[in-house]
Amino acid sequence: MRLWILAGAVLLLPLLACGERKAQAQTSVSITQTNEPGCTRQRSLGPQDPFQNPPPLKQACVGPYLLEIPQHLFYRQMGTEFDGSFGLVLQYPGLQPFAPGERMNLKLDVSMRTVAFDYRYIDRIELHQAMRNAYIPIWGDPEDPSRTLEGRIVGESVYGLLPYYADLPRIRAYKARQGMRADAPVMKADWHQDWFITRDAAGEVDRLIRCTSREVGGTGVVFRDGLMYRDRGTPYSECTHQFMLPEHSTLVRITYVRLGLKDWQQIEDKARALFFDHLVSPVQRPS
């Protein structure tokens, strides 16, 4: 009998040690996280309540810059991801926040009316070079007309932007020479984007908005009672909007429904406000 008791005790020792290690690991989790550029943020530990109202402030870092942002403005409405990455959201067309918890069990209509903001601190290369990489091919075939400004059709100014439309006949001819079949997805209009740019005083592209090709008919949305809903009877079109915060070496990317192209300036102003209004140590906002 004593041998059985001793044997049982020996078997329990590894389990107890494992439990102690887990407890130590849980108690040793740091309440702060510091990124490579030196920004230290308070972490959100334990269960998070996305429905909490008023929403608490959560900290996030963009490179060396610390921000404090209401929880319901984050993509999942619970603060940053475990590694500190994050995205922010508003809803189109009013550009107002979603209600706390509204993005839980994300529905198609809520997802479709989302304006999503992403901030990337650039320190490995020069910021303008990061911008150039979006419209000057750094890989693949530079002769592909879908990947360059030169391979596109220049149009008249639209909403203060200079359009470079996808030249679909030219793209299809190029793809055919590459061995693509006529019914391949890459031959369809919804595979391609129209580009819209602005340039700075030095002639550099300082803003690039890429939207689903104009050849795709319809907006993909309908309005009811002031809210936007997915129109399942027409194709969905969207835009990816990229610009720079030069004083902070930050590249901003925004995604929204193509219908929002006409409101690009207001959307971009919101992107700036989300950054500058939530800096913990405010700096003078560029004019």
Side-chain angles (χ1 to χ4, degrees):
M1 183 68 176
R2 289 179 180 177
L3 290 174
W4 281 104
I5 294 173
L6 288 172
V10 170
L11 290 172
L12 282 173
L13 284 175
L15 296 175
L16 291 172
C18 180
E20 289 177 0
R21 286 196 296 271
K22 287 183 178 178
Q24 291 172 356
Q26 289 174 351
T27 57
S28 64
V29 173
S30 174
I31 63 172
T32 63
Q33 183 181 60
T34 302
N35 65 11
E36 188 175 340
C39 175
T40 299
R41 70 176 183 90
Q42 293 286 327
R43 302 178 66 186
S44 299
L45 301 178
Q48 305 297 307
D49 179 11
F51 294 90
Q52 189 173 343
N53 197 11
L57 292 176
K58 297 295 181 70
Q59 292 190 336
C61 291
V62 177
Y65 304 107
L66 179 65
L67 295 86
E68 284 188 345
I69 306 167
Q71 177 179 266
H72 67 314
L73 294 179
F74 287 89
Y75 190 87
R76 294 199 302 134
Q77 300 191 304
M78 290 190 290
T80 68
E81 302 300 320
F82 72 94
D83 61 354
S85 61
F86 71 97
L88 303 179
V89 292
L90 295 173
Q91 54 182 315
Y92 189 81
L95 301 180
Q96 73 273 25
F98 289 94
E102 187 177 358
R103 295 179 59 79
M104 296 300 98
N105 301 316
L106 195 59
K107 298 178 180 178
L108 175 62
D109 292 320
V110 174
S111 177
M112 178 272 311
R113 68 175 70 111
T114 296
V115 181
F117 303 84
D118 178 68
Y119 301 84
R120 299 290 177 90
Y121 181 70
I122 305 298
D123 60 349
R124 304 296 183 185
I125 59 175
E126 197 270 329
L127 181 61
H128 281 83
Q129 184 58 52
M131 188 73 184
R132 292 184 202 105
N133 290 347
Y135 62 92
I136 298 177
I138 58 175
W139 54 268
D141 186 358
E143 298 302 316
D144 184 344
S146 69
R147 302 188 58 222
T148 66
L149 290 171
E150 294 76 17
R152 298 172 165 272
I153 301 170
V154 183
E156 297 293 327
S157 177
V158 176
Y159 310 126
L161 304 163
L162 181 61
Y164 284 78
Y165 297 112
D167 188 341
L168 294 180
R170 183 176 178 183
I171 291 170
R172 287 170 179 143
Y174 168 82
K175 297 297 182 182
R177 292 196 298 273
Q178 305 302 306
M180 295 290 179
R181 292 173 27 177
D183 60 350
V186 74
M187 297 297 201
K188 298 178 181 178
D190 62 2
W191 192 273
H192 300 284
Q193 297 172 316
D194 297 328
W195 295 0
F196 302 83
I197 70 168
T198 62
R199 296 183 184 272
D200 61 19
E204 288 265 18
V205 173
D206 59 359
R207 182 176 291 102
L208 171 64
I209 306 177
R210 292 171 287 191
C211 301
T212 305
S213 169
R214 60 180 175 169
E215 299 298 325
V216 176
T219 63
V221 302
V222 293
F223 287 86
R224 293 193 297 270
D225 300 324
L227 287 178
M228 190 167 66
Y229 294 87
R230 177 75 172 93
D231 179 6
R232 291 168 176 79
T234 60
Y236 179 72
S237 300
E238 66 178 2
C239 295
T240 301
H241 177 157
Q242 183 169 300
F243 72 100
M244 299 173 288
L245 300 177
E247 297 82 358
H248 298 81
S249 194
T250 295
L251 197 63
V252 185
R253 291 190 180 97
I254 319 169
T255 58
Y256 48 85
V257 63
R258 179 169 176 146
L259 185 67
L261 180 63
K262 61 184 175 60
D263 299 314
W264 70 266
Q265 185 66 71
Q266 295 96 305
I267 293 172
E268 187 171 302
D269 289 345
K270 282 291 186 180
R272 296 178 189 276
L274 286 171
F275 181 86
F276 289 106
D277 289 353
H278 296 109
L279 282 172
V280 171
S281 299
V283 295
Q284 184 176 357
R285 185 183 305 213
S287 57

